[in-house]
Amino acid sequence: MARIVVDVMPKAEILDPQGQAIVGALGRLGFPGVSDVRQGKRFELEVEGDLSDEQLQQIAADVLANTVIEDFTVTRVNA
C-alpha cells in the first residue's frame, strides 16, 4: 500500500484572504515580522494497487484542485 500526499496551494497571483487574516492575527498576538502567509490544503491518499504518476496527477487536477486558481504537488511518501 502506498501513501500519496497532494498539497494544493492558491496560485501566487490569487489573493489569499485567509492567509492575510493569519498575518494580521500573528502581528496582534506578538509575532511580528511575518509578511505573508498562504493557506492551502493537504490530501493524503492510501492507495492499494498500482496507480501511475500520470493517474495521480489526473486525480489531483480533476478532483482535488481547482487548477484555474490552485497549483498542486503530488508526492509518494512510501511505495
Side-chain angles (χ1 to χ4, degrees):
M1 183 177 318
R3 186 162 57 117
I4 310 300
V5 174
V6 180
D7 290 306
V8 179
M9 295 293 293
K11 290 185 176 186
E13 62 271 14
I14 300 296
L15 179 65
D16 183 358
Q18 291 174 317
Q20 290 304 305
I22 293 168
V23 169
L26 289 172
R28 289 189 302 278
L29 291 171
F31 300 102
V34 178
S35 61
D36 192 32
V37 172
R38 305 292 287 172
Q39 182 175 351
K41 302 176 277 190
R42 175 184 170 110
F43 298 91
E44 294 185 4
L45 290 72
E46 295 289 334
V47 177
E48 294 183 19
D50 189 29
L51 288 177
S52 69
D53 289 343
E54 292 78 23
Q55 288 173 308
L56 293 170
Q57 292 286 325
Q58 186 174 0
I59 289 169
D62 293 350
V63 179
L64 304 178
N66 177 348
T67 57
V68 173
I69 60 170
E70 296 172 319
D71 291 324
F72 64 87
T73 59
V74 178
T75 306
R76 288 181 186 267
V77 175
N78 56 13

